[in-house]
Amino acid sequence: RILRGDVALRTEPAAARASFESAMALALEHGLPLAAASASQRLGRLALRAGDPTAARAAFQRSLDWYRESDGSHQLDVLLYNLATAVEASAEPAEAIRHYLEVLAADAEAKPSVLRVDTRLALARLYARTGDAATARGELASAQAEALSLHSERALAAVSMAQAEFAMRDADWLRARQALNEAQLRMQESEDEELQADWRWLDLWQRWAAQKGDRWQQDFDQLQADLGERGDHLRLARMQALAALQAATTGDRAAAFRTHVSAAIVHRAEGGKAAPIVADSENASGFQWSTLLALGLGCTLGFAIARARR
């Protein structure tokens, strides 16, 4: 039933939800907390995508409770990460920081991993949002160092996207473009639609802020159409916010960008895939710094992270 729901996620979210709810009920009926946790995580992802971080947070907390009931251990950091993304989407940056720090603390080996890279990127985003620029840049540097040691093109692309965001905060549009170009090169072979969509959104931001308007509206409309076709309502909300700013702002565009990404607006949720919790042989992987921006960007990441640690 979980697998049937996974297959339906892209085209039939209502059918996917029904499959996950059925799987969770079946697991609870037969005393299988690990399977119930797996189904609940997927329901959390759907809630985030629908823009309901409260429901997502409840689903991830349930999942965490059932996972602990089953004496699980090796994916605790993944579960904590998913919960942190829902807390971040609830516009509670201080509590989200605490949860992300718990992710790092739960990783006893503390070896470089895509999960740790994504966690540090989330922390960098949140520290910047709360005004602690020095700590934010420290986390960004640590994320880059770990991504380099992993030789992960996807993780390095996410780091470059984060660097682009920081550059735009500083009104350094040239450096932002360089970082976005580097991220694009690293994503050439990636089929991650959410990561690609977030890159396109940042690209639109940079071009708008730098007043590079060639084909801007056409590219904006195309991304909006693609998101609508996929039913990604959370990212669509970001597009609406950008369109409003684009229409209203004529002055300091860097200030507009900082205000936009720091706004305590709950807009979306997940982009990646729900973290699998099925067997001790499975490791967490996948990467998603799709959540560069405070309007929920962080929420998107977590679920792709645990996509396939094998």
Side-chain angles (χ1 to χ4, degrees):
R1 296 182 193 198
I2 288 175
L3 289 173
R4 185 183 297 124
D6 286 342
V7 171
L9 272 176
R10 178 171 296 191
T11 57
E12 299 178 276
R17 180 183 302 278
S19 292
F20 296 147
E21 289 175 343
S22 176
M24 186 170 69
L26 186 65
L28 292 174
E29 179 183 350
H30 292 280
L32 302 171
L34 200 61
S38 185
S40 186
Q41 276 208 93
R42 286 157 167 82
L43 288 169
R45 173 191 180 252
L46 286 173
L48 278 174
R49 186 167 185 171
D52 189 349
T54 300
R57 188 171 178 176
F60 290 138
Q61 185 62 61
R62 272 198 318 265
S63 183
L64 182 61
D65 292 342
W66 287 331
Y67 182 73
R68 284 173 167 155
E69 181 183 331
S70 70
D71 297 323
S73 61
H74 85 280
Q75 284 197 329
L76 178 60
D77 50 357
V78 175
L79 285 164
L80 289 169
Y81 183 91
N82 287 340
L83 179 59
T85 60
V87 174
E88 183 179 356
S90 301
E92 299 177 33
E95 187 174 354
I97 287 172
R98 180 174 64 82
H99 282 291
Y100 282 122
L101 290 174
E102 287 177 346
V103 176
L104 298 178
D107 179 14
E109 295 184 354
K111 293 180 179 179
S113 68
V114 289
L115 179 60
R116 289 178 61 85
V117 169
D118 204 31
T119 300
R120 291 196 181 281
L121 289 174
L123 285 168
R125 177 178 62 254
L126 286 164
Y127 282 127
R129 181 176 169 186
T130 56
D132 190 347
T135 304
R137 293 186 183 280
E139 290 292 350
L140 181 58
S142 296
Q144 182 179 28
E146 293 201 20
L148 285 168
S149 70
L150 290 170
H151 304 290
S152 168
E153 290 296 300
R154 198 164 175 228
L156 286 167
V159 171
S160 293
M161 289 165 66
Q163 291 170 335
E165 181 200 346
F166 274 73
M168 284 191 278
R169 286 176 177 272
D170 297 334
D172 191 339
W173 312 120
L174 177 59
R175 184 160 58 91
R177 172 47 52 193
Q178 292 170 339
L180 286 172
N181 288 346
E182 182 176 346
Q184 186 178 36
L185 288 173
R186 295 187 181 282
M187 291 191 302
Q188 283 181 344
E189 298 182 2
S190 172
E191 297 181 357
D192 190 311
E193 292 179 338
E194 285 82 12
L195 189 65
Q196 294 282 356
D198 286 333
W199 182 93
R200 291 166 66 187
W201 188 68
L202 279 174
D203 171 64
L204 286 168
W205 253 109
Q206 189 276 338
R207 287 160 55 197
W208 169 72
Q211 302 185 52
K212 303 291 185 182
D214 295 347
R215 289 187 52 82
W216 192 93
Q217 190 62 51
Q218 296 95 311
D219 292 342
F220 179 94
D221 293 342
Q222 185 59 58
L223 177 55
Q224 194 167 45
D226 292 345
L227 293 173
E229 184 178 349
R230 295 210 311 267
D232 194 336
H233 301 292
L234 295 171
R235 285 182 175 83
L236 281 171
R238 284 189 314 188
M239 300 292 290
Q240 293 164 3
L242 175 54
L245 278 175
Q246 189 264 347
T249 302
T250 58
D252 188 341
R253 296 182 179 223
F257 177 78
R258 289 192 297 271
T259 299
H260 185 54
V261 300
S262 299
I265 299 174
V266 175
H267 97 2
R268 82 178 261 234
E270 139 22 347
K273 305 297 181 281
I277 308 184
V278 285
D280 287 344
S281 61
E282 191 166 55
N283 299 311
S285 169
F287 163 80
Q288 191 93 347
W289 162 254
S290 312
T291 58
L292 288 172
L293 306 172
L295 291 179
L297 279 174
C299 318
T300 212
L301 315 168
F303 317 112
I305 288 182
R307 202 183 298 216
R309 272 209 295 195
R310 306 191 196 285

